Amino acid sequence: MNAPQPIPAIWTTGSTEAVRTGTWRAALPHYIDAPSPCHQACPVNGDIAEWIGLARKRDFRAAWDVLARHNPFPAVAGRICHHPCETACNRGGFDAPLAICKLERTVGDLAIEHGWAHARPEIEYAQHVAIVGGGPSGLSAAFQLRRRGFKVTIYEAQNELGGLMRYGIPAYRLAREVLDAEIAAILALGVEVKRGRTLATAQDLAELRRTHDAVYVAIGAGRPKRLPQLPAGADWWIDGAEYLARANVGAAPTLGRRIVVIGGGSAAIDAARSARRAGHEVTILALEAAHQMPAQREEVAEALEEGVSLVAGAMLDAATAQAGGGVALGCVRVRFERGAARGEFTLTRLPGSEFTLGADAIVVSIGQDPQLDALRASLAVNGALLAVDAHQATSDERVWAGGDVASMARFVTEAIGMGKRAAIAIAHRLREDGAAAGGAEPAVVGLGNIATYYYPKQPRVAEAHRPVDERLASGAEVQLGLELEAALAETERCFSCGLCIACDNCLHYCPDLAIRRAEASEAGRYVVLTDYCKGCGICVKECPTGSMTMLEEAK
């Protein structure tokens, strides 16, 4: 043991180790792994700062591995996600949000280009899980369960997997070779698929329960909502989901020259843009004002660029077939006000605002509800949805449900997130380890926690689009990916919120030399020397990522 060091005299060059200034402090700095706002907003709770940091180092394979452990569809999500992560991005309060969605597409496309494969499970379990529905939620659950070593069989009604991603989203938004590649990577883990299988009766569900250890129901929403103003059986209107399903396989129905699409969501925009590509003159009639429409802003802008007309803040009163052909739509202007819950709203008719639209056909795209007839006898329902808890568990202890059958959050990445949550819960239940609930995360890192003076102002990367005449003629993808160097430049804009990047600022700026780098045997990257730290907080102030915080010490 070293002998105690003497207290140095004034103006000495001797050691100050004997001066234990740590007794002066009231608070101590701590290194934290705190969630970033983008992580909290992400429907799959992706580790966004981590994979962007890996991409910044050009380790794209590792970046894809981090991406895919939460979402096996990065190339898909990078094209169609509604990217709430970007709305939450701290960089938005500094100059402009990071282009997270485009960066995700870049990494996902590189994985497809190089044929990267998901790691096979390290252990195999005997338990067998049935997944009913091969859409985004079902495929997500299949991926998460299979990579954990469980046997998985998907029961799919259609001939091909993908659900809404294949039959509801047009190829000009999501190229089919991209979708096929990411589905194939999931199936390569050893997922079995049985096509042409539906949940038609309560006995079908009972049989799945009997032959499997758990069941995940992800059958989507296949029952179109109807407009009472339109007569049943009329040949001059068609449901939007049917129109898109036929158009997406190259068999768009013939509807005449002028089309009115009723609806304001993404599906309505997709139907309108698909009709434009089929040569129609298209008008969208939406209840909401333009800024209230649930469709993504860029989708609406692209539709207008392509020649789609928008009549917003108006509703259909009546539709009358004309003797000479076509149909007259009697409409009225309305004030749209959202309700407290998703899907709830009130309308106020504006007096004297009536007008008429002429069309040859109407496409109704106002949403869909799940078909629960075969499930009501076995599972509790919540209105038009299956009732589930926070882990997607139904009223039956061996059945979970997610996606559109259990939620009004009608986004692909929301469905992927529900599949992930359900798979984790199922895995814990089957292993009986009781760990599904998890613990509370630390507080989210806000912009005030970031030392922004370390970051120069930089414009967000410009996003490229295919020219209008080319996109209408070819049907190719409208939104283009980033060039590699542009993507790398965008990764440099990331604040890495809540993630230590080993920059050494805490070590260099500590006035008491009270921080050192951690040894290989120690957890973390740095160690606070508690004998000498006075709790001044300079290290926390100089942290460029908000991965340090001060905690009061009880004396």
Side-chain angles (χ1 to χ4, degrees), residues 102 170-173 269 272-279 297-308 463-480:
K102 292 298 184 187
Y172 60 79
R173 288 183 58 209
I269 301 296
R273 296 175 70 188
S274 295
R276 280 291 295 135
R277 283 158 175 76
R297 299 277 74 78
E298 57 262 38
E299 297 176 59
V300 177
E302 289 164 6
L304 296 177
E305 289 174 355
E306 293 164 6
V308 173
E463 299 180 4
H465 295 75
R466 201 175 299 277
V468 172
D469 55 350
E470 183 181 337
R471 65 173 89 153
L472 290 177
S474 67
E477 284 190 326
V478 173
Q479 297 183 10
L480 305 178

Side-chain angles (χ1 to χ4, degrees), residues 42-46 48 51 64 67-68 70-86 99-109 112 136 140 162 165 169 173-176 178-183 186 296 298-299 411-417 460 463 477 479-481:
C42 175
V44 302
N45 292 124
I48 296 172
W51 68 256
W64 180 73
L67 255 172
H70 298 285
N71 175 14
F73 292 104
V76 169
R79 287 164 165 80
I80 63 173
C81 183
H82 59 301
H83 45 75
C85 55
E86 296 186 16
I100 299 170
C101 204
K102 292 298 184 187
L103 291 176
E104 185 170 9
R105 171 175 174 166
T106 299
V107 176
D109 284 353
I112 294 173
S140 172
M165 297 183 292
I169 297 177
R173 288 183 58 209
L174 174 56
R176 292 303 180 257
V178 170
L179 176 61
D180 291 340
E182 293 198 320
I183 291 176
I186 295 171
Q296 297 180 50
E298 57 262 38
E299 297 176 59
F411 296 105
V412 166
T413 47
E414 294 280 2
I416 292 170
R460 176 184 166 107
E463 299 180 4
E477 284 190 326
Q479 297 183 10
L480 305 178

Side-chain angles (χ1 to χ4, degrees), residues 182-391:
E182 293 198 320
I183 291 176
I186 295 171
L187 300 185
L189 289 173
V191 175
E192 183 183 11
V193 180
K194 295 187 177 181
R195 296 170 173 81
R197 301 288 291 272
T198 62
L199 272 181
T201 67
Q203 288 70 34
D204 293 335
L205 178 60
E207 178 64 14
L208 289 175
R209 287 183 77 263
R210 187 185 68 80
T211 55
H212 298 78
D213 298 282
V215 179
Y216 181 57
V217 178
I219 58 175
R223 177 173 291 156
K225 293 182 178 179
R226 302 297 187 191
L227 280 176
Q229 300 93 323
L230 301 179
D235 60 3
W236 41 264
W237 72 269
I238 185 174
D239 173 65
E242 180 186 350
Y243 179 83
L244 279 172
R246 293 169 63 177
N248 288 344
V249 296
T254 302
L255 298 176
R257 180 172 56 87
R258 302 167 301 162
I259 303 295
V260 170
V261 177
I262 299 177
S266 292
I269 301 296
D270 284 343
R273 296 175 70 188
S274 295
R276 280 291 295 135
R277 283 158 175 76
H280 299 289
E281 296 175 9
V282 184
T283 298
I284 295 175
L285 180 67
L287 289 175
E288 306 89 350
H291 69 279
Q292 296 173 312
M293 292 170 63
Q296 297 180 50
R297 299 277 74 78
E298 57 262 38
E299 297 176 59
V300 177
E302 289 164 6
L304 296 177
E305 289 174 355
E306 293 164 6
V308 173
S309 298
L310 173 61
V311 178
M315 66 175 285
L316 177 68
D317 249 351
T320 307
Q322 302 297 287
V327 58
L329 287 78
C331 307
V332 62
R333 298 283 179 182
V334 295
R335 182 170 63 251
F336 178 92
E337 297 175 282
R338 296 192 185 282
R342 185 180 179 90
E344 293 181 356
F345 58 87
T346 58
L347 297 175
T348 304
R349 299 167 65 96
L350 302 182
S353 64
E354 293 81 5
F355 64 97
T356 301
L357 292 176
D360 294 304
I362 300 171
V363 177
V364 180
S365 190
I366 58 172
Q368 295 175 273
D369 291 321
Q371 295 178 333
L372 302 181
D373 296 346
L375 302 174
R376 291 180 184 275
S378 307
L379 304 175
V381 299
N382 179 17
L385 305 172
L386 286 181
V388 297
D389 67 9
H391 303 291

